[in-house]
Amino acid sequence: MATAVQSAPISLETMSDNIDAVNIHKTDLQREKNLYETSEFDKTKDKAGFRQFDDACDQVKNFYAQQHTRQTVAYNLKARNDFKNKTRAHMTVWEAMEKLNTFIDECDPDTSESQMTHLLQSAEAIRKEGKPRWMQLVGLIHDLGKLLFFFGAKGQWDVVGDTFAVGCAFDDRIIFGNKSFKNNEDYNSEIYSTKFGIYSPGCGLENVMLCWGHDEYLYHIVKDQSTIPEEGLAMIRYHSFYPWHREGAYHELMNEHDHKMLEAVRAFNPYDLYSKSDELPDPEKLKVNLALRHLDYTAAYANLCGTEQPYYMELIDEYFPTKVIRW
């Protein structure tokens, strides 16, 4: 808990100026950028250099060979049953982020930084562009499901990687293509190898089983323990679902609601993908000292309130009423 800063009494005139500054801030919040406004931070980046899997190292290629072989319907049913019947840990959101600081994603060709670094890069990119506060929080937490790696995962293949639907034919637009699934036991199934498999056209993605990993895991946790809006939940569940939100696969399974969520996920994607080349953030500095520094009224607000508030810690508390989360 922050300790109040002891300061000399301020004049009535100064107090009035400080209150005016806070009121200006309230007006600025009303001008908060729309979720769907085009991102600006990535305009000068060479996007052709991201997600270059053909040139990826053997570690990345070996990862996807494992994932595409082992993510079966049978495995996914078991994984969901295990999730419902087991609480793996009790931690705050920030404690979960700190635990991820030792994790490196084997399937990501764009970064070798820790996951905490990536989360802060994403959140900072969203914050600096003035996007909604809940979206900043989504940037901060969207990969926290990778805690699965520490909670009895079989490897990284059931934690990370591009996601895809199981229970229907593996789409050619999945990374490395349909043929990369030839050793998957569902590949030649009479039911699972058909276009729609166990689903029906327009059934809605909420009724489609995506391969188990950090996206699905965190989605179910956040859905039940936060007040993040449905667009943010979609960003969490579908941000690795590249065959869908980038390549146009599985659109026959979508319902009307999914079309709205698709636009939200596409609005989030640049901050997930292209922030990975940005400067490395200092976690402790952001945790304790950010204090709304991006707004001009910061000093006045600090003087008025007598203390400096940790921005991201308050943001977490705003949307997670129960401070300690069941993981």
Side-chain angles (χ1 to χ4, degrees):
M1 180 179 295
T3 303
V5 177
Q6 301 297 321
S7 58
I10 59 178
S11 68
L12 181 62
E13 180 180 0
T14 302
M15 175 68 77
S16 178
D17 289 342
N18 290 342
I19 293 173
D20 288 343
V22 172
N23 287 334
I24 290 172
H25 159 60
K26 292 178 179 177
T27 302
D28 287 343
L29 283 182
Q30 294 172 359
R31 294 197 294 267
E32 185 178 75
K33 284 188 178 179
N34 184 281
L35 155 65
Y36 301 104
E37 287 187 45
T38 304
S39 60
E40 298 291 336
F41 83 102
D42 57 327
K43 289 291 182 66
T44 61
K45 295 189 177 183
D46 178 13
K47 298 178 182 179
F50 290 82
R51 287 182 59 82
Q52 293 301 307
F53 287 98
D54 290 338
D55 299 326
C57 65
D58 289 342
Q59 175 177 275
V60 173
K61 294 177 179 178
N62 290 338
F63 162 83
Y64 275 107
Q66 279 193 317
Q67 187 207 39
H68 291 180
T69 297
R70 298 180 181 182
Q71 285 278 2
T72 64
V73 169
Y75 173 74
N76 274 268
L77 291 173
K78 181 180 185 304
R80 283 160 173 78
N81 184 67
D82 290 345
F83 167 77
K84 293 177 181 178
N85 290 287
K86 181 180 180 181
T87 296
R88 295 159 176 80
H90 292 86
M91 290 184 289
T92 66
V93 169
W94 196 273
E95 286 171 339
M97 290 174 59
E98 291 177 327
K99 189 170 183 64
L100 275 191
N101 210 31
T102 61
F103 181 82
I104 303 296
D105 190 334
E106 290 181 356
C107 74
D108 193 337
D110 298 323
T111 184
S112 59
E113 301 298 335
S114 73
Q115 290 302 296
M116 189 173 190
T117 295
H118 168 54
L119 292 177
L120 288 169
Q121 286 174 320
S122 298
E124 281 289 272
I126 297 169
R127 179 185 67 81
K128 289 176 181 177
E129 291 206 331
K131 292 300 179 75
R133 285 170 60 79
W134 62 261
M135 187 174 175
Q136 298 171 38
L137 178 62
V138 169
L140 187 70
I141 69 170
H142 71 279
D143 275 343
L144 282 187
K146 293 178 183 180
L147 287 170
L148 274 174
F149 181 75
F150 303 105
F151 299 148
K154 304 299 182 182
Q156 289 208 16
W157 61 268
D158 59 346
V159 178
V160 297
D162 285 11
T163 56
F164 48 87
V166 297
C168 60
F170 300 115
D171 197 280
D172 285 335
R173 288 163 286 189
I174 300 171
I175 194 68
F176 295 123
N178 178 283
K179 299 300 182 185
S180 65
F181 291 88
K182 63 182 182 299
N183 293 323
N184 187 300
E185 65 183 40
D186 298 342
Y187 186 73
N188 294 310
S189 165
E190 291 184 5
I191 298 175
Y192 304 148
S193 65
T194 61
K195 181 176 178 60
F196 294 111
I198 60 177
Y199 312 112
S200 59
C203 65
L205 295 181
E206 182 65 26
N207 298 306
V208 173
M209 189 160 50
L210 303 185
C211 65
W212 183 252
H214 72 283
D215 305 59
E216 285 286 288
Y217 170 58
L218 185 64
Y219 165 71
H220 287 290
I221 288 174
V222 172
K223 180 178 66 172
D224 294 336
Q225 300 184 67
S226 83
T227 59
I228 292 173
E230 60 182 5
E231 291 86 354
L233 296 178
M235 293 171 184
I236 290 170
R237 187 181 187 217
Y238 302 126
H239 71 271
S240 302
F241 197 15
Y242 278 89
W244 176 64
H245 67 69
R246 172 171 285 199
E247 305 301 333
Y250 306 109
H251 283 207
E252 299 90 342
L253 297 175
M254 295 167 63
N255 58 24
E256 184 175 348
H257 180 261
D258 293 326
H259 286 281
K260 179 182 177 183
M261 295 303 101
L262 176 59
E263 294 309 308
V265 175
R266 285 174 171 169
F268 173 75
N269 181 248
Y271 302 103
D272 179 18
L273 183 56
Y274 302 126
S275 65
K276 293 174 183 176
S277 61
D278 291 348
E279 62 184 47
L280 303 184
D282 183 335
E284 287 304 312
K285 183 177 180 180
L286 289 175
K287 175 184 177 183
V288 179
N289 297 323
L290 182 59
L292 305 174
R293 69 182 181 210
H294 60 299
L295 298 173
D296 292 337
Y297 83 102
T298 300
Y301 184 79
N303 286 333
L304 178 63
C305 298
T307 186
E308 189 176 61
Q309 301 295 327
Y311 183 72
Y312 282 125
M313 301 299 286
E314 288 191 343
L315 190 60
I316 292 168
D317 289 346
E318 181 178 345
Y319 290 94
F320 283 91
T322 303
K323 305 300 184 284
V324 178
I325 310 303
R326 300 185 310 276
W327 299 95

